[in-house]
Amino acid sequence: MRGEHHRAPRLGWVTFRLYDTATREVRDFVPLEEGKAGLYVCGLTVQSEPHVGHVRSGVNFDVLQRWLRHTGYDVTFIRNITDIDDKILVKAAEQGRPWYNLAYTMHRELDKAYTALNVAPPTYEPAATGHVPEMIELIATLIAKGHAYAAEDGSGDVYFDVRSWPQYGELTHQRIDDMEAAEIAADPHSVARKRDPRDFALWKGWKKASEPETAAWPSPWGPGRPGWHIECSAMAGKYLGAAFDIHGGGVDLRFPHHENEQAQSRAAGHPFASYWMHNAWITTAGEKMSKSLGNSLLVPSVLARVRAIDLRFYMVAAHYRSHVEFSFEALEEAAAGFARIENFLTRSRDLLGSVEPGTWCAEFAEAMDDDLGTPAAVAAIYDVVREGNKLLAAGPSDALRGAASSVRGMLAVLGLDPLDPRWHTGGSAAEARLTSVVDALVSTLLEQRTAARAAKDFATADAIRDQLKAAGVEIEDTPQGPHWSL
């Protein structure tokens, strides 16, 4: 990327600030190791096809890791996959397929969605099933320290003893006595095995009558599988160490998942995360988008109606801590707004030739440093585009190149640069040929329109314009000639 003076770590002073869920305040980001940032984000439980609400977290934390990297941090970004879980077992049984086949298939669908939305891959994406030994080791440590116990009924279950950890509830600022019992819905009989109804499962003994043998691993407490919460503690510790900088995920994970992660990790003697970040929901009719509500919008279905870059812009333009009420009307409005930015870059490229990504304006950097303030960052981009459009009329200039270069540089940080080849890969050969054919046909019609206008045959020129408009092609007459866009 151009603008190398933005690449050096900002050592010696603090510029980036973020909202820490644990302290409920915006804090200066001070990494554990200067110039480096360790980031762990809870990925999805791959039980079903990803919907728009699922991928928001991926997009939001992709922007975070991009900003950290662009400002010079050496980022280690871990985003896990939960590929063994109660819901996966139930859904696989309902569908008459192996649970691991369901998880693998849905993982591939998630990868497709992330790729379509230009979500950069993490440093590593560990799967829960690949880290059972680390989980068993962590559970054994908790038992040895008096913070966990095996059920006495021979079930093979192991629970975290919440009463043994006085700080339990500190992440979400709750008192233990105000909390509901854990996991009753998943296993109504588990309460009888616990010392306290709020104790949560670290290890789940294998239930021969209802669970496949493939969903059990050997352990000191008998065959079984890990509980949900222990998975992330073990994987974060393996790849980021006992202490790391930022732990992220959706706001719905604050409790019980992240509360339990923090409790069991710190009870085991690990400092764990220094900062907690949570993205808000995408809602429909005011409710969290989810399978259970029946209001999910699967990513492939949405992308059949809008471009992937427009969907990403729709998500990025909202602050990550703001709930977004999804509607196709709002999505189309966002797409129209992004078209103004894209149109400026396309016209600049046509006039100047290649335009490389460059440096950001100060307002953009200030917005991003203020808790990833993407709404203000997008507003800064629009300001540069507005000035750039004024320069277009005067023809090629260094000022125009600087504006276009800056816009590309800022969009690159957001993963939204429309001139980036990543947005133009993955299509079929037939789609590429179709694009070429459409471009040739529209260009031919525009030449006919230009000839008609030169001959003062305005009726024919207007008819061509109207035909193109009816087909969804918008024409803009510029000093450099007509420019078209969809």
Side-chain angles (χ1 to χ4, degrees):
M1 167 174 171
R2 297 297 186 267
E4 293 298 316
H5 63 277
H6 285 297
R7 294 293 298 253
R10 302 170 178 185
L11 307 180
W13 68 92
V14 173
T15 57
F16 182 42
R17 294 167 57 80
L18 55 86
Y19 182 84
D20 179 16
T21 304
T23 61
R24 297 180 177 177
E25 62 182 3
V26 177
R27 297 174 53 203
D28 295 340
F29 176 60
V30 182
L32 294 172
E33 186 175 351
E34 194 171 43
K36 296 185 177 182
L39 170 62
Y40 185 92
V41 172
C42 285
L44 295 183
T45 298
V46 283
Q47 57 170 308
S48 57
E49 297 89 345
H51 57 59
V52 173
H54 284 142
V55 296
R56 185 185 185 187
S57 178
V59 170
N60 287 158
F61 286 101
D62 182 49
V63 171
L64 170 63
Q65 67 94 8
R66 285 173 184 266
W67 181 239
L68 291 171
R69 293 185 195 279
H70 276 81
T71 52
Y73 285 97
D74 179 8
V75 179
T76 301
F77 178 26
I78 306 299
R79 185 186 65 217
N80 80 292
I81 286 292
T82 295
D83 58 348
I84 181 68
D85 178 83
D86 292 330
K87 294 178 181 178
I88 292 175
L89 295 179
V90 170
K91 290 197 174 187
E94 292 173 348
Q95 297 174 24
R97 63 198 296 191
W99 63 269
Y100 48 83
N101 172 259
L102 172 64
Y104 175 66
T105 303
M106 294 303 103
H107 189 180
R108 293 183 66 187
E109 290 301 314
L110 178 61
D111 285 344
K112 291 178 185 177
Y114 281 151
T115 299
L117 291 170
N118 195 26
V119 174
T123 307
Y124 188 59
E125 188 176 48
T129 54
H131 298 80
V132 174
E134 290 84 356
M135 299 173 201
I136 291 175
E137 182 179 356
L138 182 55
I139 294 170
T141 297
L142 289 168
I143 291 176
K145 287 179 174 287
H147 296 297
Y149 59 94
E152 298 178 355
D153 63 352
S155 63
D157 291 352
V158 180
Y159 296 100
F160 182 84
D161 185 349
V162 297
R163 297 284 181 182
S164 74
W165 185 246
Q167 293 82 15
Y168 186 69
E170 64 181 342
L171 176 63
T172 51
H173 303 272
Q174 299 185 81
R175 296 173 60 253
I176 291 179
D177 292 335
D178 295 332
M179 299 177 186
E180 294 182 358
E183 302 169 336
I184 292 180
D187 183 1
H189 304 292
S190 65
V191 174
R193 308 183 189 118
K194 300 178 180 181
R195 296 174 181 173
D196 187 289
R198 298 157 191 83
D199 293 349
F200 57 88
L202 300 173
W203 187 258
K204 297 185 176 184
W206 178 40
K207 302 175 181 63
K208 296 183 181 180
S210 59
E211 296 178 353
E213 187 174 357
T214 53
W217 286 259
S219 82
W221 316 286
R225 56 188 171 85
W228 178 31
H229 314 300
I230 199 68
E231 296 175 353
C232 287
S233 287
M235 288 185 281
K238 182 176 180 67
Y239 297 103
L240 294 175
F244 57 95
D245 297 305
I246 302 172
H247 195 313
V251 67
D252 51 317
L253 298 181
R254 289 179 301 179
F255 187 86
H257 187 46
H258 288 167
E259 187 71 70
N260 293 350
E261 273 190 67
Q262 177 166 282
Q264 66 199 7
S265 297
R266 294 187 174 175
H270 304 164
F272 212 53
S274 299
Y275 301 82
W276 288 87
M277 293 182 66
H278 293 94
N279 65 277
W281 295 333
I282 290 181
T283 58
T284 52
E287 296 182 90
K288 174 191 171 186
M289 187 179 292
S290 66
K291 282 286 186 181
S292 60
L293 290 175
N295 58 7
S296 60
L297 289 165
L298 301 183
V299 173
S301 299
V302 175
L303 295 185
R305 296 183 57 172
V306 300
R307 298 185 309 165
I309 197 169
D310 293 328
L311 177 57
R312 180 175 175 114
F313 179 73
Y314 177 62
M315 295 182 184
V316 169
H319 194 273
Y320 77 92
R321 288 195 287 118
S322 298
H323 289 300
V324 174
E325 178 68 16
F326 184 89
S327 72
F328 277 102
E329 292 77 12
L331 181 50
E332 290 165 1
E333 183 179 341
F338 185 73
R340 295 197 296 273
I341 299 173
E342 189 173 15
N343 183 51
F344 165 69
L345 285 179
T346 302
R347 290 179 59 191
S348 297
R349 182 191 58 186
D350 292 345
L351 195 60
L352 300 168
S354 64
V355 175
E356 296 299 318
T359 59
W360 326 303
C361 67
E363 292 79 8
F364 177 88
E366 290 171 2
M368 294 298 290
D369 275 338
D370 184 14
D371 192 31
L372 291 183
T374 53
V378 169
I381 295 174
Y382 276 126
D383 287 341
V384 177
V385 168
R386 192 175 301 109
E387 295 302 315
N389 281 328
K390 296 176 183 177
L391 296 169
L392 279 169
S397 67
D398 290 342
L400 175 60
R401 183 176 297 278
S405 179
S406 180
V407 169
R408 281 204 68 186
M410 292 184 285
L411 290 175
V413 172
L414 303 179
L416 286 167
D417 179 8
L419 303 185
D420 187 329
R422 290 182 182 85
W423 287 111
H424 306 285
T425 58
S428 67
E431 289 172 335
R433 290 181 59 198
L434 180 60
T435 300
S436 177
V437 169
V438 171
D439 185 52
L441 291 175
V442 172
S443 296
T444 298
L445 287 172
L446 289 180
E447 290 174 1
Q448 294 174 2
R449 177 174 176 265
T450 299
R453 295 182 71 184
K456 299 189 183 301
D457 184 1
F458 298 113
T460 298
D462 291 345
I464 294 173
R465 180 199 62 204
D466 293 342
Q467 288 175 339
L468 289 170
K469 184 176 181 180
V473 177
E474 183 175 307
I475 305 301
E476 180 181 3
D477 292 308
T478 75
Q480 292 75 38
H483 173 78
W484 72 273
S485 61
L486 293 177

